[in-house]
Amino acid sequence: MRPAAEAEKLGIPAVVVTTTGFTSIARAAARAQGLSNVRIAEYPGPVGVHADELIVKNVEEVLFPRIVEQLTKAATESPSAALKDADRARPPVRPVAGAVSAAASDAGPGAIVCEGSFEAINRYFREREWSDDLPLVPPTMDRVESFLEHTARAPDEHIAALPQANLVATPLNIAANAVMAGCRPDAMPLLIAAVEAIAENRYNLNNIGTTWGVLPFLLINGPRLERWGIETGGQLVSRGENRAIGRALGLIIRNIAGYRLGRNYMGTFGYPLSFVIAENDAENPWEPYHVEHGFSKDDTAVTACGTVTWGWPPAIYGADRTAAQTALRFLALEARNKPCLARLAERGPNGFQNMITLLIAPPVAKALAAEGYSKQKIREYVYENARVPYEELEFLLKYGHSEAFTIPAAVERGLYPEEYLGKQGELLRVIPSPETVHVVVCGDPNRNRVMVLWGGYVNPVTKKVEHRRDAQR
């Protein structure tokens, strides 16, 4: 997509080749690159499972004529349908009894877009794809203003432009989405920091629409968590404000970043709700995550993360080895079992982006610390011991991805390290570096479990939370 967009900007006609189901996301990606009239030729169906004869037939009889047609006619204006609705403002609404009375579609920030009963307003929002299909709290102006009281930033201040829609996030529309999600008003500073984090180029929000199903989530650190109702213990993603703040993140990604299911948010099996985890400082034997990344222990910080996986949390038992030894082995096994290994192994400037998050319950963390393991030593152990047989990695690389590379070809292209060459029959390290691994202490303080999350396409970004009195200094 990006080479075609750059060629078009230079006046060189280019055609993007897609497969069925990907045309809308190609248009959305082009729009994010500043190109609203991209030429597209669609191959019919899922090419990866088509027989060779069918592929040849489809290319000769369908795809090639479409490419010629696109190159021999002037491009027409065709902005992504996924972004048309996203371009509309999402101002507060005032619910009253009776049917919905809709205002003009070009209403500006702060205007009333509709009036009606709770049920009618929810129906109105669902029809415009402003909701996640669950009941919303109508974002009336008085509710929105209660959120704005918790930030010193002006309601219309430019916080960030969020791809793919590149709409501007402001305290006003962040607050509206937070109201809709059911957040407490004092969550406002957290959500502003979260928006700043996902807007960073390093986070790579522009590429989360993949069919893999990349799910953004937040990690929160700091001394103020309890007063916000943020949970760090057992069942934390499903308790307290964690659930509402996670939902607000999802609505912001839908309504400001412009991601729409089946158009430019293409997870094959869909998505759970975005969630929030928070590190348990009281039970953490190491320095908190945000302190590792340069912040003061007294700061509150939000880290934007991502995952494609959830799944089984192994229990840790000592038996004929120590609990720490068992934990390390499980963490290394899970770090090689959860990810897409062929992409995880990529390195260098053109390599795939990965993050591995190790969620470690406090009893396991304390057992590791008691044997002298720091977070850095855990990262180094997992990096060194998450290994896969050469032949397995080559199978995954060749048959699990459209490029159909072999390991030597991937090395030649600079994607795999030269240490892989000539290692047939051996175990290969698949994690690019210890820094790919992130360690978080959270979860049930009485359970001996760990969980490994793997996120492709994204890198974590941490931002300090500015409380109202901090911002006024």
Side-chain angles (χ1 to χ4, degrees):
M1 178 62 249
R2 286 167 184 77
E6 293 305 314
E8 287 283 357
K9 290 176 184 178
L10 294 172
I12 303 171
V15 175
V16 176
V17 175
T18 68
T19 60
T20 301
F22 283 86
T23 297
S24 61
I25 194 171
R27 294 197 188 284
R31 180 75 170 270
Q33 296 291 311
L35 185 68
S36 62
N37 51 349
V38 63
R39 297 174 173 89
I40 294 177
E42 183 179 295
Y43 175 95
V47 62
V49 294
H50 284 176
D52 290 349
E53 297 79 6
L54 180 57
I55 293 173
V56 171
K57 182 176 186 292
N58 283 338
V59 169
E60 291 180 347
E61 298 180 8
V62 181
L63 180 61
F64 189 72
R66 289 177 176 176
I67 293 173
V68 172
E69 178 187 10
Q70 290 296 316
L71 287 174
T72 54
K73 71 175 185 180
T76 57
E77 187 74 10
S78 53
S80 169
L83 297 175
K84 286 181 179 178
D85 288 340
D87 284 338
R88 299 179 181 177
R90 287 161 189 81
V93 299
R94 175 185 298 149
V96 297
V100 163
S101 171
S105 62
D106 60 351
I112 303 300
V113 295
C114 68
E115 299 182 24
S117 67
F118 177 86
E119 293 78 10
I121 287 172
N122 267 273
R123 183 172 63 251
Y124 184 87
F125 274 50
R126 281 196 302 273
E127 288 170 352
R128 284 149 186 81
E129 299 183 318
W130 295 350
S131 81
D132 53 12
D133 290 331
L134 296 174
L136 299 170
V137 178
T140 60
M141 185 51 84
D142 58 339
R143 289 183 178 128
V144 169
E145 287 174 348
S146 71
F147 280 70
L148 296 176
E149 291 174 0
H150 290 271
T151 178
R153 305 175 87 156
D156 60 350
E157 181 178 340
H158 184 302
I159 303 298
L162 298 184
Q164 285 186 326
N166 291 328
L167 299 180
V168 174
T170 66
L172 184 66
N173 58 22
I174 293 170
N177 283 281
V179 171
M180 290 157 63
C183 292
R184 289 171 23 170
D186 58 358
M188 187 66 183
L190 294 170
L191 289 168
I192 289 176
V195 167
E196 291 173 330
I198 64 175
E200 290 277 344
N201 286 336
R202 174 175 167 76
Y203 182 74
N204 201 27
L205 182 64
N206 193 38
N207 286 303
I208 68 166
T210 168
T211 55
W212 293 23
V214 178
L215 181 70
F217 71 93
L218 301 177
L219 163 63
I220 304 178
N221 283 93
R224 304 171 186 258
L225 305 190
E226 186 174 340
R227 73 185 69 175
W228 272 319
I230 294 170
E231 297 285 339
T232 64
Q235 306 84 50
L236 73 162
V237 304
S238 302
R239 291 182 179 273
E241 283 299 290
N242 301 42
R243 176 163 283 183
I245 293 170
R247 187 186 185 196
L249 174 67
L251 288 171
I252 287 166
I253 288 170
R254 167 185 287 268
N255 290 325
I256 306 177
Y259 278 97
R260 293 290 191 275
L261 292 176
R263 296 181 187 171
N264 60 340
Y265 206 28
M266 304 295 291
T268 301
F269 302 105
Y271 305 85
L273 290 178
S274 291
F275 60 89
V276 169
I277 59 174
E279 198 158 40
N280 189 336
D281 287 350
E283 299 284 343
N284 185 355
W286 305 298
E287 64 181 5
Y289 182 91
H290 68 308
V291 175
E292 292 181 79
H293 292 82
F295 295 87
S296 165
K297 190 172 183 178
D298 294 329
D299 291 335
T300 303
V302 173
T303 304
C305 309
T307 185
V308 177
T309 60
W310 189 250
W312 178 55
I316 306 303
Y317 296 96
D320 61 348
R321 60 176 65 195
T322 68
Q325 291 170 334
T326 301
L328 290 169
R329 182 65 179 144
F330 263 119
L331 289 169
L333 286 171
E334 287 290 281
R336 65 132 289 173
N337 290 339
K338 290 287 184 70
C340 170
L341 292 176
R343 292 298 189 224
L344 177 64
E346 292 186 2
R347 322 285 163 90
N350 297 318
F352 197 71
Q353 299 183 57
N354 295 275
M355 68 172 295
I356 293 174
T357 308
L358 311 181
L359 306 184
I360 303 180
V364 180
K366 292 174 182 177
L368 287 161
E371 291 200 23
Y373 286 97
S374 63
K375 284 187 176 182
Q376 182 59 27
K377 286 185 177 179
I378 293 170
R379 284 191 284 265
E380 291 170 354
Y381 181 95
V382 172
Y383 162 72
E384 185 62 39
N385 290 278
R387 292 174 176 259
V388 62
Y390 180 102
E391 289 73 19
E392 181 179 341
L393 181 60
E394 184 151 86
F395 174 85
L396 295 170
L397 177 64
K398 186 173 182 179
Y399 296 105
H401 302 279
S402 57
E403 298 92 343
F405 289 163
T406 61
I407 286 177
V411 172
E412 183 179 350
R413 288 167 170 78
L415 297 175
Y416 280 4
E418 292 188 1
E419 68 182 69
Y420 285 5
L421 295 176
K423 295 295 180 67
Q424 289 85 345
E426 299 185 30
L427 295 174
L428 306 179
R429 286 185 304 196
V430 286
I431 296 178
S433 76
E435 285 63 46
T436 305
V437 180
H438 305 269
V439 180
V440 178
V441 179
C442 64
D444 194 328
N446 300 306
R447 294 301 302 148
N448 54 330
R449 291 192 181 273
V450 298
M451 179 178 278
V452 175
L453 306 178
W454 168 72
Y457 287 93
V458 298
N459 289 305
V461 175
T462 304
K463 293 290 184 178
K464 179 181 174 180
V465 175
E466 282 193 2
H467 305 281
R468 184 178 178 92
R469 64 176 177 271
D470 297 335
Q472 290 176 326
R473 289 174 183 170

